[in-house]
Amino acid sequence: MVRDTQPVERDLVKQVQTGSRSAFDRLVTPLVPQLFTLARRMLGSASEAEDAVQSALASVWVARTKLDPERPPAAFLTTVTLNKCRDVLRRRKAARFFGFAGNDFDLDLAADEPDAEEVAADRQALETVQQAMERLPVRLREALVLVSMEGMSQREAAEVLGVTEKAVETRVYRARARLRENFDGF
């Protein structure tokens, strides 16, 4: 869904293009939690997600002249963040190929103390889901995360990914089908 930017966003983008660091901070600060959540879901690791978002923001600052004042900056920032996540996934895949990496997922648990069996079962389930998500091809994972977890419409996800709405629909369907295959006996 392409919409014009709000007048405040448009002014901030113009200020950012001229090198205003404070305008950049005001523009991106509200978007950082959303970008972090997206990266965390794509990468399965909070520390790698933080690095990906920081790298994305640095890249956007360096290429700030590419920001279009007439388009919402959230879509551009989401695309850059997804690209940084793809870079991390490529490096991770190469490291695994050469035998340099293990499973470094951060497992966040609720603070209230359930019994040990429940904790172990929950950790196992979470790890199983993370592994299943990681095994999905990146294109399927991206579409699934944007539509099912980030709450974007298929049109918005298609815009971010640079594909048709039908391609997003197909990717989400295939991702869900693959995940269902993994969890038939779950």
PDB file of all heavy atoms in Angstrom, residues 20 27 46 52 60 82 109 118 128 131 147 149 153 159 162:
ATOM      1  N   SER A  20      20.845  16.515   8.819  1.00  0.00           N
ATOM      2  CA  SER A  20      20.436  16.780  10.192  1.00  0.00           C
ATOM      3  C   SER A  20      20.348  15.466  10.972  1.00  0.00           C
ATOM      4  O   SER A  20      19.455  14.659  10.751  1.00  0.00           O
ATOM      5  CB  SER A  20      19.085  17.488  10.233  1.00  0.00           C
ATOM      6  OG  SER A  20      18.610  17.535  11.559  1.00  0.00           O
ATOM      7  N   LEU A  27      13.111  10.765  13.177  1.00  0.00           N
ATOM      8  CA  LEU A  27      12.457   9.976  12.141  1.00  0.00           C
ATOM      9  C   LEU A  27      12.506   8.479  12.442  1.00  0.00           C
ATOM     10  O   LEU A  27      11.505   7.778  12.288  1.00  0.00           O
ATOM     11  CB  LEU A  27      13.129  10.253  10.788  1.00  0.00           C
ATOM     12  CG  LEU A  27      12.503   9.615   9.553  1.00  0.00           C
ATOM     13  CD1 LEU A  27      11.136  10.220   9.278  1.00  0.00           C
ATOM     14  CD2 LEU A  27      13.412   9.818   8.351  1.00  0.00           C
ATOM     15  N   ALA A  46      18.519 -12.162  19.482  1.00  0.00           N
ATOM     16  CA  ALA A  46      18.396 -10.756  19.842  1.00  0.00           C
ATOM     17  C   ALA A  46      19.670  -9.973  19.528  1.00  0.00           C
ATOM     18  O   ALA A  46      19.615  -8.852  19.025  1.00  0.00           O
ATOM     19  CB  ALA A  46      18.040 -10.612  21.322  1.00  0.00           C
ATOM     20  N   ALA A  52      21.889  -6.129  13.208  1.00  0.00           N
ATOM     21  CA  ALA A  52      21.282  -5.917  11.887  1.00  0.00           C
ATOM     22  C   ALA A  52      20.575  -4.568  11.828  1.00  0.00           C
ATOM     23  O   ALA A  52      20.706  -3.836  10.837  1.00  0.00           O
ATOM     24  CB  ALA A  52      20.312  -7.051  11.555  1.00  0.00           C
ATOM     25  N   VAL A  60      21.262   3.519   6.135  1.00  0.00           N
ATOM     26  CA  VAL A  60      20.278   4.524   5.720  1.00  0.00           C
ATOM     27  C   VAL A  60      20.859   5.921   5.922  1.00  0.00           C
ATOM     28  O   VAL A  60      20.682   6.797   5.069  1.00  0.00           O
ATOM     29  CB  VAL A  60      18.949   4.346   6.494  1.00  0.00           C
ATOM     30  CG1 VAL A  60      18.027   5.538   6.268  1.00  0.00           C
ATOM     31  CG2 VAL A  60      18.266   3.054   6.068  1.00  0.00           C
ATOM     32  N   LEU A  82      15.606  -5.842   6.231  1.00  0.00           N
ATOM     33  CA  LEU A  82      15.513  -7.194   5.656  1.00  0.00           C
ATOM     34  C   LEU A  82      16.788  -7.558   4.897  1.00  0.00           C
ATOM     35  O   LEU A  82      17.258  -8.699   4.979  1.00  0.00           O
ATOM     36  CB  LEU A  82      14.308  -7.304   4.724  1.00  0.00           C
ATOM     37  CG  LEU A  82      12.966  -7.549   5.390  1.00  0.00           C
ATOM     38  CD1 LEU A  82      11.849  -7.480   4.364  1.00  0.00           C
ATOM     39  CD2 LEU A  82      12.946  -8.879   6.116  1.00  0.00           C
ATOM     40  N   LEU A 109      12.613 -16.420  28.256  1.00  0.00           N
ATOM     41  CA  LEU A 109      11.522 -17.055  28.969  1.00  0.00           C
ATOM     42  C   LEU A 109      10.849 -16.034  29.865  1.00  0.00           C
ATOM     43  O   LEU A 109      11.448 -15.043  30.280  1.00  0.00           O
ATOM     44  CB  LEU A 109      12.042 -18.228  29.816  1.00  0.00           C
ATOM     45  CG  LEU A 109      12.680 -19.361  29.028  1.00  0.00           C
ATOM     46  CD1 LEU A 109      13.258 -20.392  29.981  1.00  0.00           C
ATOM     47  CD2 LEU A 109      11.659 -20.009  28.118  1.00  0.00           C
ATOM     48  N   GLU A 118       7.917 -27.994  32.711  1.00  0.00           N
ATOM     49  CA  GLU A 118       7.254 -27.062  31.806  1.00  0.00           C
ATOM     50  C   GLU A 118       8.278 -26.173  31.095  1.00  0.00           C
ATOM     51  O   GLU A 118       8.170 -25.910  29.900  1.00  0.00           O
ATOM     52  CB  GLU A 118       6.261 -26.211  32.591  1.00  0.00           C
ATOM     53  CG  GLU A 118       5.345 -25.380  31.725  1.00  0.00           C
ATOM     54  CD  GLU A 118       4.311 -24.634  32.541  1.00  0.00           C
ATOM     55  OE1 GLU A 118       3.875 -25.147  33.588  1.00  0.00           O
ATOM     56  OE2 GLU A 118       3.959 -23.516  32.116  1.00  0.00           O
ATOM     57  N   THR A 128      12.401 -25.907  18.593  1.00  0.00           N
ATOM     58  CA  THR A 128      11.890 -26.621  17.429  1.00  0.00           C
ATOM     59  C   THR A 128      11.286 -25.653  16.419  1.00  0.00           C
ATOM     60  O   THR A 128      11.530 -25.749  15.222  1.00  0.00           O
ATOM     61  CB  THR A 128      10.847 -27.677  17.854  1.00  0.00           C
ATOM     62  OG1 THR A 128      11.458 -28.577  18.788  1.00  0.00           O
ATOM     63  CG2 THR A 128      10.321 -28.450  16.673  1.00  0.00           C
ATOM     64  N   GLN A 131      14.080 -23.583  14.791  1.00  0.00           N
ATOM     65  CA  GLN A 131      14.807 -24.386  13.808  1.00  0.00           C
ATOM     66  C   GLN A 131      13.982 -24.578  12.546  1.00  0.00           C
ATOM     67  O   GLN A 131      14.511 -24.521  11.431  1.00  0.00           O
ATOM     68  CB  GLN A 131      15.207 -25.733  14.409  1.00  0.00           C
ATOM     69  CG  GLN A 131      16.301 -25.613  15.431  1.00  0.00           C
ATOM     70  CD  GLN A 131      16.567 -26.923  16.174  1.00  0.00           C
ATOM     71  OE1 GLN A 131      15.858 -27.894  16.020  1.00  0.00           O
ATOM     72  NE2 GLN A 131      17.613 -26.914  16.996  1.00  0.00           N
ATOM     73  N   VAL A 147       3.861 -10.810   6.970  1.00  0.00           N
ATOM     74  CA  VAL A 147       2.402 -10.899   6.956  1.00  0.00           C
ATOM     75  C   VAL A 147       1.855 -11.447   8.274  1.00  0.00           C
ATOM     76  O   VAL A 147       0.966 -10.859   8.885  1.00  0.00           O
ATOM     77  CB  VAL A 147       1.916 -11.766   5.772  1.00  0.00           C
ATOM     78  CG1 VAL A 147       0.425 -12.033   5.847  1.00  0.00           C
ATOM     79  CG2 VAL A 147       2.264 -11.086   4.453  1.00  0.00           C
ATOM     80  N   MET A 149       3.504 -12.167  11.286  1.00  0.00           N
ATOM     81  CA  MET A 149       4.030 -11.708  12.569  1.00  0.00           C
ATOM     82  C   MET A 149       4.079 -10.186  12.675  1.00  0.00           C
ATOM     83  O   MET A 149       3.868  -9.635  13.754  1.00  0.00           O
ATOM     84  CB  MET A 149       5.416 -12.298  12.801  1.00  0.00           C
ATOM     85  CG  MET A 149       5.380 -13.794  12.907  1.00  0.00           C
ATOM     86  SD  MET A 149       7.048 -14.437  13.066  1.00  0.00           S
ATOM     87  CE  MET A 149       6.709 -16.170  13.218  1.00  0.00           C
ATOM     88  N   SER A 153      -0.248  -6.122   5.451  1.00  0.00           N
ATOM     89  CA  SER A 153      -1.131  -6.711   4.448  1.00  0.00           C
ATOM     90  C   SER A 153      -0.248  -7.328   3.364  1.00  0.00           C
ATOM     91  O   SER A 153       0.947  -7.038   3.272  1.00  0.00           O
ATOM     92  CB  SER A 153      -2.026  -5.635   3.833  1.00  0.00           C
ATOM     93  OG  SER A 153      -1.257  -4.750   3.032  1.00  0.00           O
ATOM     94  N   GLU A 159       5.070  -4.765  -1.555  1.00  0.00           N
ATOM     95  CA  GLU A 159       5.785  -3.517  -1.820  1.00  0.00           C
ATOM     96  C   GLU A 159       7.188  -3.547  -1.207  1.00  0.00           C
ATOM     97  O   GLU A 159       8.160  -3.167  -1.847  1.00  0.00           O
ATOM     98  CB  GLU A 159       4.974  -2.368  -1.228  1.00  0.00           C
ATOM     99  CG  GLU A 159       5.328  -1.018  -1.752  1.00  0.00           C
ATOM    100  CD  GLU A 159       4.355   0.011  -1.209  1.00  0.00           C
ATOM    101  OE1 GLU A 159       3.177  -0.040  -1.577  1.00  0.00           O
ATOM    102  OE2 GLU A 159       4.807   0.846  -0.411  1.00  0.00           O
ATOM    103  N   GLY A 162       9.268  -6.167  -3.076  1.00  0.00           N
ATOM    104  CA  GLY A 162       9.440  -5.910  -4.507  1.00  0.00           C
ATOM    105  C   GLY A 162       8.882  -7.022  -5.375  1.00  0.00           C
ATOM    106  O   GLY A 162       9.441  -7.327  -6.432  1.00  0.00           O
TER     107      GLY A 162
END
